[in-house]
Structures are given as C-alpha cells and as structure tokens.
Amino acid sequence: MRPLDLTEKDPSKKVTIYLDGKPYEAYEGEKFPVAMLANGVYWLTTSSEGRHRGAFTFGPVPVTVNGVKNINGRKLKVTDGMRIERQTYTDFQEQVEIDEGKPVLQYVVDVAVIGAGPAGLGVIKEIGGRLTTALIEEKGWLGGDLKLKGVKQEGFGDPKEALEELTELPENTRVFLGTAALGVFDKGEYFLVPAVRDDQLIEIMAKRVVLATGAVDSIMLFENNDYPGVFRRADALEVINVWGVAPGKKVAVVGAFPEEITAELDRWGIEYVVVPNPKRVEGDDRVERLIDWNGNSYEVDAVIMADGRIPDINPVTQAGGKLRFKRGYYMPVLNSQHRIRDGIYVAGSAVSIKPHYANYLEGRLVGAYLLQEFGFEAEPCVYEEKLKEYEPIARPLPRLPLDELSGEDVQICGCGVTLKKVDDVVKSGITDLQIIKRLTHLAMGFCQGRYCLFNGALLTSQRSGTPMDRLDIPVARPPIKNVKMKVVAGRD
Amino acid sequence: MPTRELPEKSEITIIGGGIVGVTIAHELAKRGEEVTVIEKRFIGSGSTFRCGTGIRQQFNDEANVQVMKRSVELWKRYSEEYGFPFEQTGYLFLLYDDEEVETFKRNIAIQNRFGVPTRLITPEEAKEIVPLLDISEVIAASWNPTDGKADPFHSTTKFALHAEEFGARLVEYTEVKDFIIKNGEIKGLKTTRGTIKTGIVINATNAWAKLINAMAGIGVKIPIEPYKHQAVITQPIKKGSIKPMVISFKYGHAYLTQTAHGGVVGGVGYELGPTYDLNPTYEFLREVSYYFTKIIPALRELLILRTWAGYYAKTPDSNPAIGKIEELSDYYIAAGFSGHGFMMAPAVAEMVADIITKGKTDLPVEWYDPYRFERGELRGQALQMG
C-alpha cells in the first residue's frame, strides 16, 4: 500500500506514472491528484503569482501530460507510463490538433434535471417514469454529496443502502454522468440545456428544468489557505470515501461544522485535531503546521475546511432567478411551487442547507409539482408537510478578522486574488460588488465566483456596514461551467 | 470615487457618466467651465463597463480618420499624464481575397493622407506579429502599429478623478427623470435626487439617448437604437501571446486580443435587437468559438470562462450624432457611437468642448451632424468593428 492508502487497491490495475520524471505507483482509472496524494505528494501546479497549489481547494490545476500543456489535472485519469509535468496557470498548448470535433448529440425530454444528488434523484423517483427525463450530473457518480458519506444519515440510515434504492431509475431516464451543464436558455417553446461530456457537446431540449445543482463548500479565510494540503470538505470526503485515500497522516479539521468530517475520520481511524479558529498555515510551500488565534501550533500535514456549505447560486442567477439572503447565505427566491420562474424549478441544497433526506423530500415535492403540471395525479402536499420537519440549517455569518490577518497571505479567490487586494478597494470607499469585481478580478476566474463571491460580499458588508441582503450580487453568465472552445466551436 | 450630492445649480450638465460623458466633463472642467455629470448607476457602468478595449485609427473616411488620429494623440497624452495603461500594440486586419485587399488599399491611402502609418503587409509579416495566427488562407493584412488598447473602466475612472480635480462634479446613482423648459430654454433637470438648475445640457447617454431626447421633447429624428452585442473571455494565458487587436471580416467580423490580465477577449458581428436585453445567448457562444478557432487554432484548447453582453447604440450609418440641437436652446448630443465610442471619446470631448466654449472646432464634427438623418444624408458606413 502507498503511504496514504486506506484500502488495498486492485493489483491488476497497478500502473506507474511519472511526475516531473519521478515514478509513482498508481492505479488505472484513478484520478491524478488522488494517485499523487496516496503517494504523499500535494503540490501539483503553480499559480500565476508563483504560489504552489494542490488540487483539493480552489483554483485550477493545469498540468502538462505527455508533452501537452494545459490539461485539467483535476479530471485527469491516469494510465500506465503517463508522464506529467507541473506547469504554471498561464502555460498553454500552442500547437494543437485540428479535427472536426465530435458531432453534437441532441435529445428531447419532458424534464431536464441538473444534478443527481438526493434532490435530483428524488425528482426522478417521484416522476416514476411517467415523463421522459434527462439526469445531468457533472461528477462520475449518482448520489451527489450523499455518495461521499460513510456514516449513517438522518432519515436515510446507511448511505450505501439508501443510494442503492435511490439509483434504481425508470427506463425512460436518460443519465448523463461526467456531464457539465453550461446553462439554461429559454427558447420560448422549450428550454435548451447545453452540456459537455468528454469534449462532446450535448443539447438537451426540455419542456421543464429542475436545478438540483446543490451547494458549495465555504472557503475559509486564513493565511496561506491555498497551500497544498488544504482541503475543501467535499474533496476530503471524496478522497476518503470514494478513492480510499487519507488526506494526511495527521489532519486538522477547521470551521464551524467539524462533526461531518470527524465522524468520517473516526470511521477510518485517521488521526485528527479539531481547531475551531485557524489563523495561519505554515510549511515549506505545503501544510506542515497550523496556528490558531490563541497562538497554539499543531503539527499536521493536511487541513480540512468544514465551515458549512452555501447554495451554488450560479445556475440560479444564470437561469434568471433572483436571490435573497436568509440564514446566513444567499438562496433563490421561489414561488409557492418551488419555481424561480415559469418552467424552472429548484430543489435540494440549491434551495437551502438541510440534511440529505430533506433534500430528497424536496426533490419528491418538485417531482409532484411537475406531475401535476403535466396532468398527472400527485400529492405535493404530503412532501410539503414532511419538509416542514426540517428547518434549514442556519450558518452563522463569519466575522472576518480583517485587521489582524496578514491580507497578502490570505487568498480570497483561487486565481491569485488576495484578501488585501479586495480589502484595499473596499477600504477606499467602493462598496459596489460590480466595481470590486472589475478592479480586483474577484469572481472573474475559473470558478466564476462560486468560491469567492460570498467572501467578497462578506468583506464588503463588514467594512461598509451594508447588510448582506442589500448588496448587489453579480449574476452568473454562461457558460456556468468552463468549457473548451473547441467543444462549442463545431458547425453541424 | 465619492458619490456627491446633487448641486443646486450647474452651468453645464452632462447626462450619462460613461467614457463619453466623463471625458467631456474632464475637458470642460479643464477649461474652467462649471460642469456636473449625472449618472444613474456608477461612473463607467453602462456600455463602457462591457466594452472590448480597442482603439483604432483604421477607418474608411476622412472625418473618422482625422478624429481618431487626434483621439490617439489624446489617449497617449492622458495615459502618460494620468497613469493608466494605453498600449500601442496595433490593429491587424486579416484579408482573404483580392476584393478585400482593394478596399483596404483605398482605406490605407486615406489613412496615410492624414498621417496614420497603416501599411499592407504579407501573411508572413502578420504571423511575426501574432505567431499563433493561422495564415493558410490569409493573403495580406492591414497593419497600423499606432492603434492600441486600453482598459475602459480604469481609464474612465482616471478621467473622472482628474475631472473632479478640475472642479467637475460627478453625481452617481441619480437618474434624470425630466427637463424643466420655459420658452424653448432649458432651466433645469428633475432627477431622482431632486432638481438641478442648469442652462446647458449634453446628452451623453448613448444607448439611452432616445429616452433623454424624448424627455427634452426633441422633434428632430435622431435614430439611435440599442443592439445587443456580446463578448467572451478565455482563461488567462502567457502575457504577450496576442498583442494587437486582430480582426477578421471573413470569419464572422471577429475581433480578438489579449487583456492585461492574460485572457483572450473579443466578439463577433452577431447582433440582436433593437433590445435592452443583456442576457448572453447560446448562439453567440457557438458562433464566437467557431470563428475564433478558425483565426487562432490554439484557442481550441482554452477554456471559456464567461460571456457577457453590452449595447451598441446604433445609427443607420454607424456614425454618432454629435452637435447642437437648435430647437431647444443649449441642448447638445454626443451619442450613437455604434460600437466604437470608447476609442473616440477623448476627441469627441474636445469637439464638444470646443463647440460649447468657442462655438467651433477644428475637427470635422459636421460629419456627425445630428440633422443628417432627417435630411436623408447618411454617411458612408463607418467601420463598425471592435
């Protein structure tokens, strides 16, 4: 077993890969960052400002693969003999192969469901095959965040068993795994949902759309929060429960919601320490120790942020939805039938933060509304009642210790935007996020603001005294997920 | 930038705080005039905020070439004086057939006559300037190294700061709702934050110009309509990869360059409207990707981060309406820039300030006569491009 392997891997799949010429043991089909992590290697790429970065927090992971630059390292699956080299963000491939590209696939369905977590699966379950559906999921698996859990979940019990039942899908469900939806476009008669799978463009035409697009992990602001070895909650859970690899030998769990992580660490017997108030990560360009606001120092090789999740507002605003601020986060404004506008529904943690089972119920609820719209018998009120038992989780609004942090060492955005850069602009009196965005490049990078816009708003609110609900939050523009130009460049 | 209270009175009031309104205010204030800009959102928030950075002198008529020659002189001067980046990285028009080459030869002759050093170059020379170009179909290119690009928001902000230093007042988040007119004379403006007494008003609202004209009760026909144009930006790549603005009429009227931050930015001719809608469309995403990757194949492997839309305030001949409207005393218009207002702004500011302070200007402002539409004297189509 490799240093950080939690489980024995299939020996028949054992391969050798090379990072900057050095050989490493890996397993066919493994994702590149996971293979490197198992070997104890965290640093995979270098930001435009020359900072070393890993793959488990914000920011892109471009690498050079067999001589071809600018390959997305996060999605890269290893094969035997693969030669990978580290590069910086701005290295790109000047000589490219010109082909005709793959033909555009087109599908017509009654309902397109974006996101296959408990909510999306709940929609499909409720519809029960009475309508044709497309289920679009960016990850390579069904089950969303629930798939990342190993411990018992409220309402569901054992997550594996729950998922087995939830993923029994009716025949007329067309499943698109590893497929990123680029947005929702209103074509009058129908909605167009363009999506991308393996560099192939897929156009899904649907009468109705459900955004079951989930929530994203909150990024915590502490010094060197971008060092290799810092993990987002979901990335830590994924390496543990999907890939059987530990985040580190000894890890620190930080943030307001550590239990979700510590329960999983306990299950695997991974040594950890809970640090509620991290100030700074130190080390030789990767995590070696964590220092808290009381001056305590913890020798760890990984830090997992567990500071709660917030709805991913990008799909909502791109599709024309409005936002409100409640319980510590921005959430979509819904009508009484869970719609952001005619024809577009939202369900799950895209609406509010609550247990997986409640998100599933919300999916069932939206499924029931859809059935009614198409003239079928359904009882949404049953789910409405059940949902009332789950008050959405409030996330305490973090207080940023702006004047005590060394703002140059804190990354607010994965694309090289420091806390200081944004704070300086806000301190100069500019409190319009549109202008802040333009002057600092906040929310203009690869993640399109998913991981930085909230903190930018928080900072602005804190400095200016403007309440969060009065800030003008920039809306997401298509494509809501990055797409290579060649994928959409084809002509039929 | 401070959000000032609306002053009680102002000699001159400019409606619209985009690049055009702000540079006019800057020029007037510098000449000692009392001037106020009223902007409904923030300074630089409209089409200026969504603009594609390009500044060129390669036009196809005498007036625009002269005006842009002057404008580039001013861009150069103020960027040095005020410290905002204006890079003279050139404009490169790619040409693919004899007809295009003949047209550009004529354009180049006009440009050369007024001292703009454009020349026809070979495909190989073009590739030396932008090594990423696919020149397999290119037969020549029109190249002027003195054209360039600047960041629209940064430059507008700098002009605004200096306008204020010269005494101009910039009032943000204030919308003009009506004119106060007595006996054909402007007495003031009603706004969402009260009334301002003023005698001279300049309509610099571009895409919204017809609304302000209607408020002023202007009878003369000045057709300016908002059209949706869109832009794209890719992931940042090595700086200096695409220095000039590259234009290809053959491939969708595409324009593209690299921003200071490193992303490849640009758009195509794809136009929707008239409309005030600004939602980016899927069709644009497809079009722009198709054309861009024809011009520079390496873009195929780059990630698109975002698309967005802005207005071209278009007139029937793609030239703005700049001048005095005689039927209402001291009402001026500088609007309808049809996609190339950002680059023109410093020279337009000089022309408007000249007319107001001296009653005449050395630049050929009559080309942009607001009355030409009513008289049926449309100009030759100005090159509407990046």
Side-chain angles (χ1 to χ4, degrees):
Chain A
M1 300 227 296
R2 296 167 297 186
L4 290 179
D5 268 328
L6 290 166
T7 56
E8 196 81 55
K9 308 293 184 291
D10 179 354
S12 72
K13 292 191 173 169
K14 190 168 156 180
V15 297
T16 303
I17 61 169
Y18 300 85
L19 179 62
D20 289 339
K22 203 174 157 198
Y24 292 95
E25 176 184 330
Y27 292 86
E28 184 89 41
E30 229 173 15
K31 286 205 285 193
F32 162 64
V34 174
M36 295 319 301
L37 174 67
N39 286 287
V41 177
Y42 293 83
W43 166 44
L44 301 180
T45 188
T46 304
S47 82
S48 312
E49 283 67 34
R51 291 182 73 95
H52 286 193
R53 292 272 175 84
F56 302 111
T57 184
F58 54 18
V61 186
V63 289
T64 302
V65 181
N66 299 330
V68 180
K69 290 175 188 161
N70 191 30
I71 304 282
N72 182 353
R74 246 194 210 104
K75 289 188 175 168
L76 177 67
K77 294 203 168 169
V78 300
T79 54
D80 194 27
M82 187 177 264
R83 292 188 167 270
I84 301 149
E85 287 157 84
R86 293 186 179 99
Q87 61 163 83
T88 67
Y89 282 10
T90 55
D91 284 337
F92 70 106
Q93 188 62 21
E94 297 190 20
Q95 295 300 320
V96 300
E97 194 184 317
I98 301 172
D99 53 28
E100 284 304 303
K102 301 174 182 177
V104 182
L105 299 178
Q106 293 181 316
Y107 299 96
V108 178
V109 291
D110 293 319
V111 182
V113 180
I114 307 175
L121 293 172
V123 176
I124 300 289
K125 180 72 87 190
E126 182 65 19
I127 288 173
R130 281 172 282 184
L131 302 167
T132 56
T133 53
L135 182 58
I136 306 157
E137 170 56 52
E138 192 178 11
K139 297 276 189 202
W141 63 77
L142 296 174
D145 209 65
L146 180 59
K147 175 82 173 178
L148 306 179
K149 305 291 174 69
V151 298
K152 280 196 172 178
Q153 298 296 314
E154 150 82 45
F156 275 134
D158 178 61
K160 273 209 170 56
E161 285 168 26
L163 271 178
E164 258 170 47
E165 202 221 306
L166 282 182
T167 52
E168 277 174 28
L169 307 173
E171 263 181 30
N172 58 359
T173 310
R174 207 179 270 278
V175 180
F176 299 90
L177 284 179
T179 307
L182 302 180
V184 178
F185 298 88
D186 187 347
K187 308 303 286 180
E189 297 294 299
Y190 61 92
F191 294 100
L192 175 65
V193 181
V196 180
R197 181 179 59 198
D198 296 334
D199 288 347
Q200 181 163 37
L201 187 59
I202 303 167
E203 293 180 340
I204 295 160
M205 288 154 266
K207 296 191 186 95
R208 297 290 179 266
V209 174
V210 181
L211 303 176
T213 36
V216 294
D217 289 319
S218 303
I219 296 291
M220 294 177 71
L221 301 181
F222 50 84
E223 292 162 14
N224 298 326
N225 59 339
D226 61 331
Y227 265 22
V230 175
F231 285 72
R232 286 179 294 212
R233 181 204 64 101
D235 293 271
L237 291 175
E238 182 181 331
V239 298
I240 297 169
N241 285 325
V242 177
W243 302 99
V245 175
K249 288 277 184 212
K250 184 179 178 190
V251 307
V253 183
V254 299
F257 299 90
E259 305 78 16
E260 210 182 332
I261 295 290
T262 56
E264 304 289 344
L265 296 175
D266 282 332
R267 198 165 76 90
W268 289 96
I270 300 167
E271 196 187 337
Y272 66 84
V273 55
V274 174
V275 183
N277 53 349
K279 178 178 189 289
R280 181 179 177 84
V281 156
E282 286 182 351
D284 186 14
D285 277 351
R286 55 152 295 185
V287 174
E288 290 175 30
R289 78 194 66 84
L290 175 71
I291 294 156
D292 71 13
W293 282 99
N294 304 327
N296 300 312
S297 179
Y298 307 88
E299 299 297 316
V300 292
D301 49 15
V303 172
I304 303 174
M305 298 186 282
D307 206 33
R309 299 198 300 156
I310 51 175
D312 180 1
I313 56 176
N314 283 16
V316 171
T317 59
Q318 188 278 325
K322 299 272 175 261
L323 302 174
R324 62 177 177 151
F325 189 81
K326 204 179 170 188
R327 299 189 186 89
Y329 42 83
Y330 294 98
M331 49 166 59
V333 174
L334 302 177
N335 73 3
S336 63
Q337 294 191 311
H338 264 67
R339 293 193 294 232
I340 50 170
R341 47 174 290 194
D342 278 355
I344 304 179
Y345 294 78
V346 192
S349 53
V351 173
S352 58
I353 305 304
K354 51 198 179 299
H356 294 303
Y357 189 67
N359 290 324
Y360 165 71
L361 289 174
E362 203 171 23
R364 298 291 299 245
L365 172 67
V366 162
Y369 286 135
L370 278 163
L371 286 175
Q372 284 188 333
E373 254 205 286
F374 282 87
F376 293 97
E377 292 272 320
E379 292 187 74
C381 52
V382 175
Y383 302 114
E384 264 170 25
E385 282 306 308
K386 281 194 197 165
L387 253 180
K388 281 183 187 154
E389 293 167 25
Y390 297 89
E391 173 65 19
I393 296 163
R395 182 168 174 266
L397 208 54
R399 183 87 201 153
L400 304 173
L402 294 170
D403 296 317
E404 291 95 65
L405 278 170
S406 165
E408 273 168 351
D409 293 341
V410 182
Q411 304 292 311
I412 191 165
C413 164
C415 302
V417 184
T418 63
L419 182 68
K420 182 179 188 308
K421 192 171 184 185
V422 179
D423 200 23
D424 283 350
V425 168
V426 178
K427 277 197 288 195
S428 79
I430 291 167
T431 57
D432 192 315
L433 278 161
Q434 304 283 359
I435 307 178
I436 294 167
K437 191 176 148 183
R438 187 59 58 99
L439 294 180
T440 66
H441 248 76
L442 179 85
M444 289 175 92
F446 293 81
C447 85
Q448 295 142 315
R450 273 187 184 81
Y451 294 103
C452 58
L453 192 54
F454 186 90
N455 282 331
L458 189 64
L459 188 164
T460 307
S461 170
Q462 205 171 299
R463 280 273 184 230
S464 68
T466 311
M468 294 289 277
D469 59 359
R470 297 237 331 261
L471 293 173
D472 177 14
I473 300 297
V475 304
R477 302 296 189 195
I480 58 171
K481 290 288 162 82
N482 302 160
V483 60
K484 276 186 192 173
M485 210 169 248
K486 71 174 177 187
V487 173
V488 283
R491 273 280 166 97
D492 309 322
Chain B
M1 205 171 306
T3 304
R4 292 183 184 279
E5 288 306 308
L6 189 74
E8 206 175 293
K9 60 173 268 303
S10 180
E11 287 288 322
I12 306 170
T13 305
I14 298 167
I15 309 174
I19 183 70
V20 171
V22 166
T23 48
I24 295 173
H26 169 264
E27 191 62 41
L28 285 168
K30 203 176 163 187
R31 297 180 188 196
E33 300 294 326
E34 186 195 33
V35 58
T36 302
V37 174
I38 301 181
E39 163 56 45
K40 69 175 172 177
R41 281 189 77 202
F42 54 85
I43 293 299
S45 59
S47 305
T48 302
F49 204 63
R50 297 150 179 279
C51 155
T53 78
I55 294 168
R56 75 179 143 91
Q57 301 151 90
Q58 296 188 58
F59 276 80
N60 51 346
D61 60 80
E62 295 185 0
N64 277 306
V65 170
Q66 288 175 78
V67 166
M68 280 314 301
K69 172 120 196 316
R70 177 63 182 151
S71 205
V72 165
E73 286 166 15
L74 293 169
W75 276 113
K76 207 166 173 248
R77 179 167 124 205
Y78 287 120
S79 68
E80 283 163 12
E81 248 174 67
Y82 297 166
F84 61 81
F86 163 57
E87 297 176 287
Q88 285 183 296
T89 43
Y91 253 69
L92 185 67
F93 287 78
L94 303 175
L95 310 175
Y96 302 81
D97 59 44
D98 294 341
E99 201 185 322
E100 264 192 313
V101 171
E102 284 313 307
T103 307
F104 272 82
K105 275 185 182 165
R106 279 196 299 275
N107 294 350
I108 290 169
I110 299 171
Q111 291 158 22
N112 291 169
R113 188 143 37 95
F114 292 99
V116 175
T118 313
R119 54 197 182 91
L120 201 67
I121 61 172
T122 65
E124 292 70 29
E125 286 175 300
K127 198 168 170 68
E128 266 175 46
I129 297 164
V130 183
L132 293 173
L133 282 182
D134 177 359
I135 53 162
S136 58
E137 296 175 278
V138 176
I139 64 165
S142 178
W143 167 243
N144 171 23
T146 66
D147 290 340
K149 55 194 178 187
D151 182 302
F153 191 66
H154 282 262
S155 44
T156 306
T157 307
K158 289 287 187 189
F159 275 114
L161 282 172
H162 287 85
E164 285 193 314
E165 276 179 20
F166 292 124
R169 286 163 298 194
L170 308 177
V171 186
E172 295 179 301
Y173 301 102
T174 303
E175 189 174 352
V176 171
K177 302 303 271 187
D178 208 357
F179 279 63
I180 303 165
I181 298 168
K182 271 183 197 147
N183 306 324
E185 278 187 16
I186 298 172
K187 298 292 177 194
L189 293 169
K190 288 183 187 165
T191 81
T192 48
R193 292 208 302 173
T195 299
I196 180 170
K197 285 184 198 155
T198 191
I200 303 172
V201 170
I202 303 163
N203 175 359
T205 59
N206 212 30
W208 295 272
K210 64 175 176 182
L211 307 179
I212 299 299
N213 284 347
M215 249 177 232
I218 297 300
V220 56
K221 186 179 77 179
I222 306 172
I224 299 173
E225 292 293 342
Y227 284 82
K228 173 154 79 174
H229 274 252
Q230 302 178 59
V232 68
I233 190 149
T234 70
Q235 67 181 106
I237 57 172
K238 258 199 206 115
K239 294 196 177 150
S241 295
I242 308 171
K243 286 178 185 156
M245 186 70 83
V246 179
I247 308 276
S248 168
F249 286 102
K250 177 187 166 80
Y251 286 117
H253 288 67
Y255 66 93
L256 63 87
T257 189
Q258 193 180 11
T259 67
H261 191 257
V264 180
V265 70
V268 290
Y270 185 72
E271 182 172 271
L272 295 166
T275 177
Y276 278 113
D277 171 64
L278 285 180
N279 286 313
T281 64
Y282 176 62
E283 289 68 24
F284 170 75
L285 189 68
R286 301 286 316 264
E287 289 261 312
V288 76
S289 302
Y290 174 76
Y291 290 127
F292 275 25
T293 54
K294 287 279 184 196
I295 299 161
I296 296 185
L299 297 177
R300 293 174 62 81
E301 299 294 334
L302 294 191
L303 295 170
I304 297 172
L305 299 188
R306 211 160 6 93
T307 60
W308 68 94
Y311 303 123
Y312 277 21
K314 282 187 57 169
T315 63
D317 58 13
S318 295
N319 281 294
I322 304 170
K324 191 171 191 311
I325 305 296
E326 299 295 344
E327 62 189 279
L328 180 60
S329 83
D330 293 321
Y331 181 69
Y332 298 84
I333 185 166
F337 288 92
S338 306
H340 46 264
F342 171 66
M343 59 182 77
M344 291 180 81
V348 170
E350 196 166 83
M351 288 191 281
V352 173
D354 279 350
I355 294 169
I356 289 176
T357 60
K358 301 188 227 160
K360 64 181 179 65
T361 177
D362 293 339
L363 288 164
V365 73
E366 60 284 356
W367 183 257
Y368 312 108
D369 183 357
Y371 287 88
R372 71 182 186 276
F373 308 106
E374 195 148 278
R375 287 202 302 263
E377 293 169 8
L378 293 192
R379 309 305 186 205
Q381 285 284 332
L383 279 186
Q384 179 197 299
M385 170 59 64

